[in-house]
Amino acid sequence: MAESTTISNTENLMKYMGLDQKGYTMAEYIWIDGRNGVRSKTKTLEGPCKDVKELSEWNFDGSSCGQAPGGNSDVYLRPVAIYPDPFRGGDNILVLCECWDHDGTPNKFNYRHDAARLMEANAKQEPWFGLEQEYTLLGLDGRPYGWPTGGFPAPQGPYYCGVGTGKVYCRDIVEAHYKACLFAGIKISGINAEVMPAQWEFQVGPCEGIELGDHLWMARFLLHRVAEEFGVVITFAPKPIPGDWNGAGLHTNVSTADMRKDGGLKAIESVMGKLEKRHVEHIAVYGEGNKERMTGEHETANIDKFNWGIADRGASVRIPRQCAAAGKGYFEDRRPASNADPYQITGMMIETIFGGLPDEKMQK
């Protein structure tokens, strides 16, 4: 694997991983920072935890995470979901948290809160989501892993869903991540090598409501943690390499109860006009650097225009051919960049389809 002084020495570590914890449990509190990344720290619990409601709030230095000024830096962690820990095993857990400010309001980077409110208000619509997370593996030199030093691999063509040396890179990271997600209870539904060498994809869903955002962020956390042990960097940049190379997206599959009924294609088509009217608003939350990716080439639409079509991977929104044939199902929004926040994507989608929420009265 990559030559790095930061790779974990797993053989030495394993001597300690099996030690008796004397009944205590390790809880890894995980949150989303102000730079669209993940952070975490560990708390010792008196015993096993089976319900997120048993966990206490915690806090951290928000000024070191881009979430608060230094003069008022405390940000509070409110646990919202727990998962088995695939790294420590046993009764140890991963704890996904929301970030809240000292005055009892959501931190400005807490996009989960409003998304959860939208999902709850529209629960009767039974919104299902499935997101396709593309990412690129980098060496410590910042170049895609496995690419020749100072040069480029052969042109795109043999790498998508490729098999064999020279066609795929770092499959061991991808497999380890897949298993870690399954152990943690993440609804990961598949993996594949992507069009650009050293680029991969995993899919999460279908999930209902806020669960999609929770599971995707946890899958991202697990991917970064697995890659640590191999000395490889994960990037969700939407266009990591300029030129004739595919970018990376976060294609978003959406379905509601009406879309899944017989004749649901009409419900799907009725949404297209709503999406077109709010195209600018959607693009605004669909990730940074998306303009470099959405050029109208490499299986993307032009970022400045909205269009949709059946089985058209060059459209803003694609209706799969099997759904058109069945007359029901789902649609795929191909606009989100790989670094977009799934809470913002799914929240915006529900808002566009069903309408927004009234102002909220916060309780401190």
Side-chain angles (χ1 to χ4, degrees), residues 175-211:
E175 293 287 336
H177 173 248
Y178 200 167
K179 295 280 283 202
C181 284
L182 291 173
F183 181 92
I186 303 303
K187 291 184 177 178
I188 184 170
S189 49
I191 58 171
N192 60 269
E194 267 301 333
V195 177
M196 188 181 82
Q199 184 186 71
W200 290 83
E201 174 184 298
F202 65 86
Q203 303 90 34
V204 171
C207 297
E208 186 166 344
I210 200 65
E211 183 182 55

Side-chain angles (χ1 to χ4, degrees), residues 104 117 227 281:
R117 292 179 64 223
E281 290 92 332

Side-chain angles (χ1 to χ4, degrees), residues 269-336:
E269 292 176 340
S270 71
V271 170
M272 297 302 112
K274 295 179 179 180
L275 292 174
E276 183 173 15
K277 288 179 180 178
R278 300 195 75 203
H279 177 65
V280 173
E281 290 92 332
H282 278 255
I283 290 297
V285 300
Y286 275 7
E288 294 186 15
N290 208 11
K291 188 175 182 66
E292 285 71 34
R293 166 182 165 264
M294 291 190 65
T295 61
E297 299 180 352
H298 301 107
E299 299 180 297
T300 68
N302 186 294
I303 195 169
D304 297 318
K305 299 177 181 179
F306 178 89
N307 65 323
W308 65 277
I310 295 172
D312 185 357
R313 283 179 164 78
S316 307
V317 174
R318 177 180 73 98
I319 297 175
R321 189 171 299 282
Q322 73 268 25
C323 293
K328 60 183 178 181
Y330 67 96
F331 66 88
E332 176 194 46
D333 189 342
R334 298 179 59 81
R335 294 172 294 173

Side-chain angles (χ1 to χ4, degrees), residues 135-305:
Y135 61 95
T136 307
L137 302 164
L138 304 178
L140 294 180
D141 60 359
R143 287 180 58 78
Y145 188 82
W147 284 32
T149 302
F152 295 89
Q156 294 181 157
Y159 310 111
Y160 173 69
C161 296
V163 177
T165 301
K167 297 179 181 178
V168 293
Y169 302 91
C170 284
R171 189 186 292 274
D172 40 6
I173 290 178
V174 178
E175 293 287 336
H177 173 248
Y178 200 167
K179 295 280 283 202
C181 284
L182 291 173
F183 181 92
I186 303 303
K187 291 184 177 178
I188 184 170
S189 49
I191 58 171
N192 60 269
E194 267 301 333
V195 177
M196 188 181 82
Q199 184 186 71
W200 290 83
E201 174 184 298
F202 65 86
Q203 303 90 34
V204 171
C207 297
E208 186 166 344
I210 200 65
E211 183 182 55
L212 186 283
D214 292 350
H215 282 225
L216 189 76
W217 270 113
M218 288 304 299
R220 286 177 172 178
F221 167 80
L222 292 171
L223 182 59
H224 283 298
R225 279 284 282 106
V226 167
E228 277 182 28
E229 300 189 19
F230 294 85
V232 170
V233 176
I234 303 297
T235 179
F236 296 110
K239 188 69 174 180
I241 302 297
D244 194 18
W245 302 98
N246 272 38
L250 186 58
H251 299 158
T252 299
N253 301 283
V254 182
S255 180
T256 65
D258 285 343
M259 295 177 191
R260 296 189 292 275
K261 294 177 181 176
D262 289 342
L265 184 61
K266 291 183 179 179
I268 294 173
E269 292 176 340
S270 71
V271 170
M272 297 302 112
K274 295 179 179 180
L275 292 174
E276 183 173 15
K277 288 179 180 178
R278 300 195 75 203
H279 177 65
V280 173
E281 290 92 332
H282 278 255
I283 290 297
V285 300
Y286 275 7
E288 294 186 15
N290 208 11
K291 188 175 182 66
E292 285 71 34
R293 166 182 165 264
M294 291 190 65
T295 61
E297 299 180 352
H298 301 107
E299 299 180 297
T300 68
N302 186 294
I303 195 169
D304 297 318
K305 299 177 181 179

